[in-house]
Amino acid sequence: MAILHVQRICALGPQSLPDRLVIDVGAVLRWASESDIDDALDALVEAAGRTRRHTLWAITPTPLSAVDATELDAATTSLEKVFGAESVLRSDEPLTSLLTTSVQGPIEAGIVTAGLDDRPYELWITARGVTMLDVATGHVWTHDRATKAFLPPALLPELYAILGSPLDGKAYVKANQFAERFKAALQAGQPPEMAANLPPALRVAIQNKKSLIDGLARSMRGQDGPVDSAARASLAGFVCPASIVPVGRTDTAYVVVDVGDGARPVDVHVQIGPTQLKGQGAAGEQLLRQAHAAIPGRWFIPRALDALDYMVDQGLPLPASAVDPGLIAYALHPDTPERLVDLSMSAAPLPTPLLSWLADPKRKLTSPAPLDPLAAVLPRLDQDLAVQLEHHGLVQLIEDDLALTLPHLARLEREGGAWVGTPASYASWEQFHDALEDELGLHEQVFAQFLTIDPYTATTLELLQALKGSRRPLPKVPFAHELKAKEEFARLVAANCTEAVLLDRARALQSASGAYFWLKRLQGGLSRLRGRQIPLATGRWGYRSLPLHNLPKRSPEGREIRSGLLGPPGHVLVAADYNGFEVRLLAALSRDSILENAAQHDDIHTELADTFFSSRSKEDRERAKLGVYSIVYGQTASSFWKARPEMARADADALYTLVQARLTRAMEYREQVWHQYIRDRFVTTSGGWRRIAPTRRKAFNTVLQGLGADVLRWVLRHLGRELPVVKARVVHQAHDELIVAALPEQASEAERILQDTMTRAVVQESNLLPAHTQLRVNVRRGKTWGDLI
């Protein structure tokens, strides 16, 4: 039984078929009849229904061996019922003739056909840029492939007119044994009768049959049929919509900024309406100014933050909205971002390095020059992605949230960060580093007594085994058989096991974001610490190179490092972070009466401690906080205990049971979210952030953290409009904290704007939160980041 290779119609990727396909129904029916196959057209119909490509069913006679007209008429009626009359082209002029007479220049389309192995002369049309899929073999033929297999495809009809088609060509001369000589002559531009070493009688036969051979070549091209002007016009409109520059949305500037790696001039591509312009360096900057003057609102701009960063550095005005196609792909599936070629056929022709750079939300890749192919497809890419966003209900998230936030993040990246001074307790960063080196040296003297492995690269399990092999008995860890190595090691630290404490301390200092990481850069003479914003799966924005959201804070060395980080010269710093942010969001969403009552006060955790334990002590406040966050993080009793190495199992179980028993409405709300997640396999925040979470725990946590991220993005946009009025600006954001730099005389007003925006305004104006939501912030002011802890 023959296999139809129709799956290639749906396949995507750099080597796949073009976006627009013409299905040669006549050729498929001809091959199916000759091969005694009944369901060829049905298989094509099924595949065409699954593809995102644009398809046109061409029902035309085939060259030489034609399909019966009644069969073609029946196919027309059937296909019009399935795909509509606008997707079916019925004509008595052969398809190849329609194509070549209606379109000038290269034809950027594909033809789905069958039986090319028996009729290779039909490959001649690949000379016009057409890609051909033979569903009989699965082979995809292009000009280059046809050339390698035979000879330049434009010459194939002449060759087979002499040789005779395997199925339906007429052998006017007996010349098959001289095929290679004819190929050489045709490639050299010679008449076939001038091929080398032909018998004289054959030369004479070819000359005598020249008119018949030329006529057969014309028939192989399908050029002997009637003329159908209407069909030609219709086919031209389908095959070459790009013969007119795609203009996209009239309210949008399509912009590509190639900042490169600093070793080459910056390239800028701008398209507004049908006008396309390109410039380098200063000319490129002028193009960006012109684009902003023409359309200050919506820009469709790949790798938007990199481009906007460049514009901030050059003092160029930023658009109000920056739609980033890579960020769209990320937002559709944050944990495993979608490939752009799976979302838009317009992206399929782009080279793989360009596709990788385009969809790189972590911003690790440098742009692969040139970006001209990307600039050419932006309007169609915008249209394709708009369809995807509409289908998934994410239009508002992209257009009214993320796209409006990106310009503010770019300003934060380039105009914010921390200015470097000196640590409070030391004369220099080098002196601070030396003090940590002395401490680390003392720790390593202890390690040397029982470690034969590198304490900084070893796994926790390897360290645990080394500790157990040391001479001194270790504190007993109850229920150790239920714990992972990391959890058991944390219990040894909590039990004040000297070796474990020192190992933990040393590894923290040398970690990827520990004190040594920062001191290496501070000692290197950096005058300013800045990072690059990257999206996270919960909707938050973090940093990479440098990871400022992981700057040490609570540890002694973290406080010391922050004491040497300042605001811009001449400015003071104002910081605000939410008190019990996720707990307050849980209170508002679940309407749990205990949580709502506690949320009426400035410190929600102290109020919960009073409710749970009739105590307002610091220790009980911490217990209440841990207990309520067990709900926020979706923990089970077992996972809660394992995450609390400082607590005995009985105490952890008692706290967990108490809190979950008291907060009944919050627990019911969590169950509702879990049921919805199990049903839909994703969760969505009120701001529209959608996550196909890998676990129930992460699903519920995303509902709260994702809503918190929605709030912070709104706050950042609002502050971006309000703070410049008092000559202040945001210089840092991480999780639920914001740091603002203000002139001393404007600090009080900046503090008022910051506090009002994060509490009253976001509840009353953002439409993100229930009206009864109670938010509180802790506000601090100082000269250094250390003053803000």
Side-chain angles (χ1 to χ4, degrees):
M1 180 177 178
I3 298 176
L4 276 81
H5 298 266
V6 296
Q7 68 276 9
R8 284 186 174 271
I9 295 175
C10 302
L12 300 175
Q15 305 301 321
S16 64
L17 296 171
D19 181 25
R20 293 181 175 269
L21 297 179
V22 179
I23 301 177
D24 190 346
V25 177
V28 173
L29 292 177
R30 178 189 63 190
W31 169 78
S33 175
E34 294 167 350
S35 304
D36 196 23
I37 296 174
D38 296 328
D39 59 352
L41 193 57
D42 292 338
L44 278 172
V45 167
E46 189 277 333
R50 289 187 287 113
T51 185
R52 293 193 179 99
R53 290 180 167 86
H54 305 284
T55 55
L56 179 70
W57 300 84
I59 304 176
T60 61
T62 55
L64 302 184
S65 177
V67 179
D68 186 87
T70 58
E71 191 174 355
L72 295 179
D73 291 340
T76 302
T77 302
S78 174
L79 290 169
E80 285 182 344
K81 288 181 180 179
V82 178
F83 296 98
E86 68 280 359
S87 296
V88 179
L89 178 69
R90 178 71 172 94
S91 176
D92 291 329
E93 184 175 1
L95 175 61
T96 50
S97 176
L98 289 172
L99 275 172
T100 53
T101 55
S102 61
V103 179
Q104 302 299 315
I107 302 171
E108 298 179 1
I111 294 178
V112 178
T113 185
L116 292 177
D117 279 6
D118 295 325
R119 297 176 176 84
Y121 55 81
E122 293 187 356
L123 290 169
W124 74 271
I125 199 169
T126 60
R128 292 287 302 276
V130 173
T131 300
M132 301 184 77
L133 166 65
D134 186 344
V135 296
T137 62
H139 294 157
V140 176
W141 290 94
T142 61
H143 176 275
D144 289 344
R145 183 172 181 181
T147 300
K148 291 177 181 178
F150 303 103
L151 75 163
L155 303 174
L156 286 172
E158 278 71 24
L159 175 65
Y160 282 95
I162 295 174
L163 300 179
S165 166
L167 279 187
D168 37 39
K170 297 178 181 179
Y172 292 116
V173 294
K174 295 179 180 180
N176 277 301
Q177 66 192 60
F178 303 105
E180 295 303 319
R181 299 177 191 181
F182 289 127
K183 288 182 182 180
L186 290 168
Q187 284 184 294
Q190 298 174 345
E193 65 269 22
M194 297 303 295
N197 300 320
L198 291 181
L202 182 56
R203 290 184 192 277
V204 173
I206 293 174
Q207 290 173 341
N208 290 339
K209 303 288 186 178
K210 185 172 179 56
S211 60
L212 293 174
I213 291 173
D214 289 346
L216 181 57
R218 284 181 55 81
S219 296
M220 289 180 176
R221 287 189 166 90
Q223 295 172 331
D224 285 340
V227 174
D228 188 341
S229 300
R232 290 180 178 185
S234 178
L235 186 60
F238 174 81
V239 171
C240 290
S243 58
I244 300 173
V245 175
V247 298
R249 291 175 48 162
T250 57
D251 65 342
T252 298
Y254 295 94
V255 179
V256 177
V257 180
D258 181 5
V259 298
D261 55 7
R264 63 179 187 265
V266 175
D267 286 346
V268 175
H269 300 257
V270 171
Q271 178 178 333
I272 299 175
T275 303
Q276 295 177 318
L277 299 169
K278 179 180 178 181
Q280 286 188 338
E285 292 179 17
Q286 184 59 32
L287 277 182
L288 292 172
R289 291 185 186 277
Q290 293 173 1
H292 188 272
I295 299 183
R298 185 181 189 267
W299 285 18
F300 189 81
I301 179 167
R303 285 291 287 261
L305 278 175
D306 290 344
L308 296 175
D309 281 359
Y310 168 77
M311 295 175 67
V312 172
D313 288 343
Q314 303 306 314
L316 300 172
L318 302 188
S321 169
V323 180
D324 184 334
L327 187 55
I328 290 175
Y330 183 83
L332 284 168
H333 199 332
D335 289 280
T336 54
E338 299 276 4
R339 299 188 314 159
L340 279 171
V341 292
D342 293 334
L343 301 173
S344 168
M345 285 303 305
S346 301
L350 297 177
T352 299
L354 191 51
L355 283 171
S356 299
W357 171 80
L358 185 60
D360 175 29
K362 303 306 179 185
R363 303 171 66 189
K364 296 180 179 179
L365 302 176
T366 56
S367 57
L371 298 187
D372 302 64
L374 175 59
V377 304
L378 283 189
R380 283 177 286 177
L381 184 60
D382 186 15
Q383 294 166 4
D384 289 350
L385 293 179
V387 173
Q388 293 291 331
L389 292 175
E390 183 72 33
H391 175 70
H392 292 286
L394 296 179
V395 173
Q396 183 177 357
L397 172 70
I398 297 297
E399 297 288 350
D400 299 335
D401 184 343
L402 297 181
L404 299 176
T405 303
L406 291 185
H408 297 281
L409 289 175
R411 292 189 181 95
L412 170 58
E413 275 190 10
R414 306 310 299 167
E415 297 176 349
W419 281 253
V420 179
T422 55
S425 305
Y426 299 90
S428 66
W429 295 107
E430 288 75 13
Q431 190 181 73
F432 180 28
H433 177 269
D434 291 343
L436 286 183
E437 280 281 280
D438 291 341
E439 179 190 349
L440 200 60
L442 294 174
H443 298 342
E444 290 172 346
Q445 289 179 17
V446 177
F447 306 159
Q449 298 175 21
F450 64 91
L451 277 185
T452 57
I453 55 177
D454 185 344
Y456 306 114
T457 60
T459 65
T460 308
L461 178 60
E462 290 171 335
L463 291 179
L464 193 60
Q465 291 171 341
L467 281 173
K468 291 179 178 180
S470 62
R471 295 179 181 177
R472 189 169 72 85
L474 299 178
K476 181 175 176 57
V477 176
F479 307 102
H481 62 284
E482 298 182 29
L483 301 173
K484 296 178 181 178
K486 185 177 180 180
E487 296 162 348
E488 185 176 355
F489 184 83
R491 275 164 170 72
L492 291 176
V493 175
N496 286 318
C497 171
T498 302
E499 293 87 348
V501 169
L502 297 182
L503 272 172
D504 186 60
R505 169 72 173 155
R507 281 161 65 92
L509 290 174
Q510 293 275 28
S511 70
S513 58
Y516 272 79
F517 172 88
W518 296 100
L519 285 175
K520 180 179 179 180
R521 286 143 184 85
L522 294 166
Q523 284 181 280
L526 280 181
S527 60
R528 191 161 157 203
L529 301 183
R530 290 188 292 190
R532 307 180 78 192
Q533 298 277 342
I534 57 172
L536 305 177
T538 57
R540 285 176 167 176
W541 286 82
Y543 289 89
R544 67 170 295 271
S545 63
L546 297 163
L548 290 175
H549 61 303
N550 288 330
L551 192 70
K553 187 172 186 178
R554 302 299 179 188
S555 63
E557 64 275 9
R559 291 175 176 271
E560 194 67 45
I561 289 172
R562 287 174 178 257
S563 74
L565 302 182
L566 315 171
H571 290 68
V572 297
L573 298 174
V574 180
D577 68 297
Y578 283 105
N579 170 263
F581 193 26
E582 282 109 346
V583 179
R584 292 178 181 275
L585 296 179
L586 177 60
L589 295 176
S590 69
R591 299 308 305 262
D592 187 285
S593 59
I594 291 178
L595 291 180
E596 285 194 306
N597 289 335
Q600 302 293 322
H601 302 272
D602 289 342
D603 187 351
I604 193 171
H605 300 306
T606 297
E607 298 305 318
L608 288 173
D610 197 18
T611 300
F612 295 151
F613 316 118
S614 300
S615 168
R616 304 177 73 85
S617 69
K618 183 178 179 181
E619 293 76 12
D620 285 325
R621 178 190 184 276
E622 184 64 19
R623 289 174 62 207
K625 179 179 179 180
L626 293 176
V628 74
Y629 271 99
S630 71
I631 301 177
V632 171
Y633 296 135
Q635 292 174 312
T636 63
S638 177
S639 62
F640 176 69
W641 161 68
K642 290 176 181 178
R644 306 268 64 85
E646 73 284 359
M647 299 179 70
R649 184 167 194 170
D651 294 338
D653 288 347
L655 176 58
Y656 182 88
T657 301
L658 169 66
V659 171
Q660 306 235 338
R662 297 294 301 275
L663 302 180
T664 54
R665 187 65 193 91
M667 293 297 295
E668 290 172 1
Y669 175 71
R670 188 173 76 172
E671 288 294 328
Q672 292 171 8
V673 171
W674 280 349
H675 285 310
Q676 179 268 321
Y677 162 74
I678 292 170
R679 182 185 69 245
D680 300 336
R681 304 312 301 172
F682 65 87
V683 291
T684 306
T685 68
S686 62
W689 185 264
R690 192 187 73 149
R691 185 182 184 192
I692 306 173
T695 65
R696 290 197 317 167
R697 180 182 62 80
K698 289 186 177 181
F700 186 69
N701 184 238
T702 297
V703 169
L704 298 178
Q705 277 199 8
L707 176 56
D710 296 341
V711 168
L712 262 293
R713 293 194 302 274
W714 187 92
V715 166
L716 193 64
R717 296 194 299 271
H718 192 270
L719 292 175
R721 297 188 295 269
E722 296 293 319
L723 287 176
V725 176
V726 295
K727 298 181 179 180
R729 66 181 186 270
V730 177
V731 294
H732 180 66
Q733 70 85 23
H735 307 313
D736 58 359
E737 177 186 40
L738 291 167
I739 299 178
V740 168
L743 297 171
E745 62 272 20
Q746 298 280 15
S748 295
E749 185 60 16
E751 182 177 312
R752 184 197 65 77
I753 292 173
L754 181 61
Q755 185 164 8
D756 181 70
T757 299
M758 294 178 71
T759 54
R760 181 203 62 80
V762 73
V763 174
Q764 297 182 8
E765 301 174 20
S766 72
N767 294 320
L768 293 171
L769 299 166
H772 56 267
T773 305
Q774 296 291 324
L775 297 179
R776 301 287 190 276
V777 293
N778 305 312
V779 181
R780 299 164 300 282
R781 193 188 304 186
K783 294 182 179 180
T784 76
W785 284 37
D787 298 332
L788 307 178
I789 298 176

